[in-house]
Amino acid sequence: MTAMEWTNATWREGVPAGTGRALTLRQGDRVRVIDVEGGQVGDVFAFATDDLAEYLSASHTRTATSRLFPRVGESFVTNQRRPILGFVEDTSPGIHDMLIAACDVERYRGLGVEGHPSCADNLCKALEVLGLSVSEVPQPVNIFMNIPVTDDGALSWLPAASRPGDAVVFQALMDCVLVVSACPMDVNAINGHRPTQLAIETASGPS
Ligand SMILES: [Zn+2]
């Protein structure tokens, strides 16, 4: 797929290592999430703007696509089975995950680290900036996360295969709030033991 054209309305924001950002998208808007340095996992969440209880659901998306992760051209759907994000472009090797829960304080405690930053906290803090909150942390879309599934069902925690500048592009299929967390995991290998920044670019859709 060719690189997408971006309008003059393109806007870029950094997501420093280990932190999260929330942004509101109108239907038709596009967002590019860039792995600036390579090898970095991003946790992506999306909520319907008019009702945060409707959110991008990994399990409903797997049902809709009959795949572990959508292909470019397919869509992510909500827990009400409505399309919320289109998967428009992917310049990475195409290895992503939609099975693993967001890291949280308990996950790090289980790994022997107290008070570690987490994607779950990043989600809450990023929404708070917009004056929003949610009661549960949905299963995220873990872009660039490299969790191969073997024939006998076992999972491995491998470093992200994304290269510097690799990116995925989503298009909002409804008005939604998008949250991106640059995963702070440094206890296992998924970020190569060195979490780094992501960047977000947004472009207005056709009005
Ligand atoms: Zn994380």
Side-chain angles (χ1 to χ4, degrees):
M1 174 169 260
T2 57
M4 129 175 312
E5 288 180 22
W6 294 82
T7 69
N8 292 334
T10 300
W11 167 90
R12 182 178 175 115
E13 180 175 11
V15 185
T19 71
R21 290 287 184 274
L23 56 156
T24 55
L25 299 175
R26 300 298 302 251
Q27 184 177 356
D29 288 351
R30 286 158 292 154
V31 57
R32 172 180 279 150
V33 186
I34 304 152
D35 184 354
V36 178
E37 298 182 40
Q40 174 61 43
V41 170
D43 284 32
V44 176
F45 306 86
F47 303 85
T49 301
D50 57 6
D51 178 11
L52 298 187
E54 181 175 7
Y55 54 83
L56 190 165
S57 165
S59 58
H60 293 81
T61 297
R62 291 194 299 268
T63 304
T65 58
S66 295
R67 294 180 54 79
L68 288 172
F69 199 90
R71 286 181 287 213
V72 167
E74 296 180 325
S75 301
F76 300 85
V77 304
T78 70
N79 53 336
Q80 296 186 32
R81 302 189 193 272
R82 297 199 299 158
I84 185 167
L85 289 181
F87 191 17
V88 174
E89 185 182 334
D90 183 4
T91 67
S92 81
I95 299 170
H96 310 286
D97 167 79
M98 216 165 53
L99 295 174
I100 302 299
C103 62
D104 54 23
V105 166
E106 292 297 334
R107 168 69 167 146
Y108 289 101
R109 184 169 292 145
L111 293 169
V113 183
E114 291 291 336
H116 197 286
S118 70
C119 290
D121 279 351
N122 287 345
L123 168 67
C124 296
K125 288 175 181 168
L127 288 175
E128 205 174 284
V129 172
L130 300 182
L132 302 172
S133 65
V134 291
S135 54
E136 287 189 39
V137 176
Q139 158 69 55
V141 173
N142 297 311
I143 56 173
F144 311 128
M145 193 173 187
N146 188 1
I147 307 288
V149 183
T150 64
D151 287 345
D152 68 352
L155 304 176
S156 303
W157 303 78
L158 300 185
S162 40
R163 303 153 299 195
D166 277 350
V168 295
V169 177
F170 303 112
Q171 183 163 36
L173 301 177
M174 65 172 72
D175 292 356
C176 61
V177 178
L178 191 88
V179 178
V180 175
S181 171
C183 180
M185 172 60 78
D186 54 3
V187 185
N188 67 24
I190 62 167
N191 298 311
H193 295 286
R194 191 180 73 90
T196 57
Q197 64 180 313
L198 299 172
I200 305 170
E201 290 177 358
T202 54
S204 301
S207 55

